């Protein structure tokens, strides 16, 4: 850790605006980091236009081709590095980059135009990519828009290689620092040295941006989506980033600094203490066992789930296998992914949720036209029931994988009994087809529904007759119950899992499950909020599924209370009529029983 006097000196030397400010962004990766700002200059380079003599044109073309070849080598080596560090799945992000370097419009056309216009390769390539970028941005397709970021990555590297200083696309921080950038492309993130990067902060991007996903995998604290942080911070400014709450403090005063140094120490100690509980059971003091499971997006996240003590996967968001690519994953590709997770977790369960596309997740292989209300539109099971070809491929892959472990299947966005019965009918047809083809699968594979639409919560009793389990998707249940778009920052203050209406729905769902004798889990973000653990436990929830990094704290909380006490807490919490009162009450409970914990 840097000595605070030294920090202060360097701040005063470098920053023209030593005002303390607190900026609020999106928490992308937990932890507290304190260090000096290193701002990455990732802006596009300016490119000069130069005429080339006829006799030099072939040399210019060769120079361009050499730079492209070098760029391919660079990306292939970054891809290998990421595959070693974070697994093959994450490394596939760079497939798109490599494909762009084969693209006719980007590459062949540049060569043609160098020959025709007799201009330097930098200028023609830059102009050409502007056109490709414009085409991508104009499509309105989320996948293709994301590719515009990759394109910039490719562009920068080719231009650097043309200039002959190929290795770096930005100044690396010399010492340990907090890296700030407008946005970070996957290759920028991959180049960051985790021993030097204490944390990172970006203007753009959300929790599910590639950079955020990588930060979580690398366990580097990060806050994203701060809009203009790169404008507000000067190089060398002292920063505190709180990746739990999404806060960045610029030039903190001595008191704040000491406070955060203490918090950071507590956070690290607390983390280590929690991890020591990894192999202990998740059971209350009076012996009630709770299923504590992890949410994953990609198969290689299973390792993080296991290292944080997950005893099962409560939500495998399979749509991530469909994202960041231009085609759809084949049946065998999906089978491999599901079987690998099931095998690795066996005998613990793996809940595979069928495709939940639409809303804010789009793929280009599936022409989802822009809709005025995507969250209320063609989404999840609604897409699957119309595109039965895609649905069938996925169900076949899951069923085939079911012999490799304890797989359960879950259907998202179910809104009523008729819809669920239609899904089940199709599911049984797919099973029958496999039988006829002599393909083995687990005949007793459990099926469940996500309860995330208020209508489904209201008819939970009817739905419970048809399934083996419920899993409450509070992220969507809250958005639909309170009519608050889960991704809209302007109304984020309304998105609140303590709202008594949300709690009533949860209680209703758990009760319906119990009456029918099926288990109920919860896999929305709420499950991982330490303030909610005792509440949900007391409400009778059987299974919690959350981001792996939230598991150790949840386990500790379960292990420090009796079920009877949790029941009392839940009863009292449910008697309040305002979200704020519920939250204050739960915070007080936690504080009284456990003292200060770094939340
Ligand atoms: C939910 O809605 O709570 C949920 C877990 O699913 P997702 O966040 O993927 O919509
Ligand atoms: Mg959902």
């Amino acid at each position: 850790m840097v000595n605070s006097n030294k920090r202060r000196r360097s701040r005063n030397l470098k920053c023209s605006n030593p005002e303390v400010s607190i900026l609020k962004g999106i928490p992308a990766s937990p932890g507290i980091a304190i260090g000096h700002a290193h701002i990455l200059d990732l802006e596009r380079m300016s490119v000069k236009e130069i005429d080339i003599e006829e006799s030099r044109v072939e040399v210019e073309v060769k120079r361009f081709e050499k730079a492209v070849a070098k760029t391919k080598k660079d990306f292939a080596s970054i891809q290998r590095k990421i595959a070693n560090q974070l697994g093959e799945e994450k490394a596939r992000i760079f497939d798109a980059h490599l494909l762009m370097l084969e693209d006719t419009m980007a590459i062949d056309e540049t060569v043609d135009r160098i020959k025709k216009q007799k201009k330097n390769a930098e200028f023609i390539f830059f102009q050409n990519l502007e056109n490709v970028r414009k085409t991508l941005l104009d499509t309105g397709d989320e996948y293709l828009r994301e590719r515009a970021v990759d394109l910039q990555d490719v562009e920068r590297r080719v231009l650097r290689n043309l200039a002959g200083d190929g290795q770096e696309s930005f100044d690396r921080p010399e010492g340990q620092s907090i890296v700030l950038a407008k946005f970070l492309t996957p290759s920028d993130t991959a180049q960051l040295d985790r021993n030097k990067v204490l944390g990172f902060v970006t203007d753009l991007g959300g929790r599910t941006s590639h950079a955020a996903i990588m930060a979580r995998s690398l366990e580097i604290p990060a806050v994203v989506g701060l809009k203009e942080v790169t404008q507000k911070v000067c190089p060398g400014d002292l920063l505190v980033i709180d990746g739990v709450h999404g806060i960045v403090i610029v030039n903190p005063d001595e008191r704040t600094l000491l406070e955060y140094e203490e918090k950071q120490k507590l956070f690290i100690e607390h983390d280590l203490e929690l991890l020591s509980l990894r192999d202990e059971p998740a059971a209350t003091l009076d012996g009630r066992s709770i299923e504590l499971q992890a949410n994953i997006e990609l198969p290689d996240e299973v390792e993080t789930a296991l290292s944080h003590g997950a005893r099962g996967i409560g939500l495998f968001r399979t749509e991530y296998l469909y994202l960041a690519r231009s085609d759809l994953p084949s049946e065998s590709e999906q089978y491999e992914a599901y079987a690998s997770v099931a095998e690795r977790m066996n005998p613990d369960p793996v809940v595979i949720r069928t495709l939940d596309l639409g809303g804010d997740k789009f793929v280009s292989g599936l022409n989802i036209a822009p809709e005025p209300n995507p969250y209320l539109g063609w989404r999840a099971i609604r897409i699957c029931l119309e595109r039965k070809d895609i649905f069938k491929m996925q169900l076949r892959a899951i069923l085939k994988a079911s012999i490799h472990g304890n797989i359960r299947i879950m259907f998202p966005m179910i809104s009523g009994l008729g819809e669920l019965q239609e899904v089940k009918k199709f599911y049984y047809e797919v099973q029958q087809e496999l039988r006829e083809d002599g393909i083995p699968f687990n005949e007793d594979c459990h099926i469940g529904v996500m309860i995330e639409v208020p209508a489904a919560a209201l008819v939970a009793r009817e739905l419970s007759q048809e399934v083996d389990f419920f899993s409450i998707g509070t992220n969507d249940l809250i958005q639909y119950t309170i009519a608050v778009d889960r991704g809209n920052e302007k109304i984020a203050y309304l998105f609140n899992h303590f709202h008594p209406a949300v709690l009533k729905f949860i209680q209703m769902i758990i009760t319906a499950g119990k009456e029918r004798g099926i288990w109920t889990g919860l896999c929305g973000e709420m499950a991982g909020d330490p303030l909610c653990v005792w509440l949900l436990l007391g409400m009778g929830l059987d299974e919690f599924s959350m981001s792996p990094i939230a598991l150790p704290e949840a386990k500790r909380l379960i292990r420090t209370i009796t079920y009877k006490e949790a029941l009392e807490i839940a009863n009292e919490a449910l008697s309040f009529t305002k979200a704020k009162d519920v939250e204050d009450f739960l915070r007080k409970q936690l504080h009284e029983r456990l003292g200060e914990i770094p939340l």
Side-chain angles (χ1 to χ4, degrees), residues 195-451:
N195 296 317
K196 289 197 179 151
V197 178
L198 298 170
F200 72 76
V201 174
T202 61
D203 286 348
L204 307 176
R207 246 188 82 76
T208 54
S209 60
H210 290 318
I213 292 170
M214 282 207 192
R216 284 197 289 279
S217 304
L218 296 165
E219 300 190 19
I220 294 177
V223 180
V224 298
L226 280 140
K227 300 196 182 87
E228 290 176 336
V229 69
T230 51
Q231 311 279 308
K232 293 183 178 153
V233 171
C234 307
D237 268 357
L238 183 61
L239 301 182
V240 169
I241 60 178
D242 175 347
V244 179
H245 300 100
I247 289 170
V248 175
I249 305 172
V250 187
N251 296 325
D253 56 31
E254 214 60 50
R255 202 171 54 86
T256 312
L257 196 58
L258 288 174
E259 187 191 317
Y260 273 90
E261 280 172 353
E262 187 56 26
K263 277 192 182 176
Q264 185 185 45
K265 203 168 124 247
L266 280 177
F267 191 91
I268 295 167
E269 280 169 12
H270 189 67
D271 232 31
L272 289 173
E273 187 191 319
L274 291 180
L275 280 175
S276 69
L277 294 176
R278 195 183 75 169
D279 301 319
E280 301 297 326
T284 58
L285 292 171
D286 49 355
R288 184 178 164 94
S289 283
I290 296 298
E291 297 286 337
L292 213 47
Q293 305 187 353
N295 294 351
I296 61 167
E297 273 91 45
L298 291 167
D300 50 19
E301 285 163 22
V302 162
E303 299 311 321
T304 324
L306 287 169
S307 66
H308 287 75
R311 296 306 312 269
I313 301 298
L315 170 65
F316 180 175
R317 291 183 161 104
T318 59
E319 56 279 3
Y320 280 81
L321 297 174
Y322 293 66
L323 298 175
R325 57 189 291 162
S326 52
D327 56 348
L328 297 172
S330 66
E331 183 179 314
S332 63
E333 212 176 308
Q334 291 189 59
Y335 160 78
E336 294 290 337
Y338 306 145
S340 73
V341 175
E343 252 165 25
R344 190 74 182 90
M345 294 304 298
N346 203 24
D348 290 333
V350 175
V351 177
I352 301 188
R353 174 176 78 182
T354 60
L355 206 50
D356 184 3
L357 287 168
D360 61 347
K361 296 181 216 132
F362 298 96
V363 291
S364 49
L366 229 176
N367 286 331
I368 306 178
E371 296 180 344
N373 290 305
Y375 276 119
L376 303 182
W378 204 49
R379 196 191 153 183
I381 203 70
R382 302 167 184 186
I383 296 181
C384 288
L385 285 175
E386 197 176 317
R387 289 295 306 268
K388 293 226 171 86
D389 51 333
I390 293 172
F391 196 25
K392 184 201 263 188
M393 205 197 301
Q394 181 171 42
L395 289 175
R396 282 176 63 94
I398 301 174
L399 282 167
K400 280 160 97 177
S402 66
I403 55 169
H404 295 283
N406 183 1
I407 284 182
R408 298 164 174 174
I409 303 179
M410 175 159 80
F411 303 111
M413 281 290 288
I414 294 291
S415 59
L417 185 62
E419 193 178 43
L420 177 58
Q421 286 170 338
E422 192 186 341
V423 170
K424 281 179 66 184
K425 184 167 166 282
F426 185 66
Y427 171 67
Y428 292 137
E429 282 168 23
V430 175
Q431 282 194 334
Q432 185 53 26
E433 209 181 87
L434 286 177
R435 274 185 214 107
E436 284 164 13
D437 292 346
I439 297 172
F441 64 90
N442 175 12
E443 296 271 355
D444 297 321
C445 191
H446 281 191
I447 58 170
V449 278
M450 283 198 75
I451 307 283

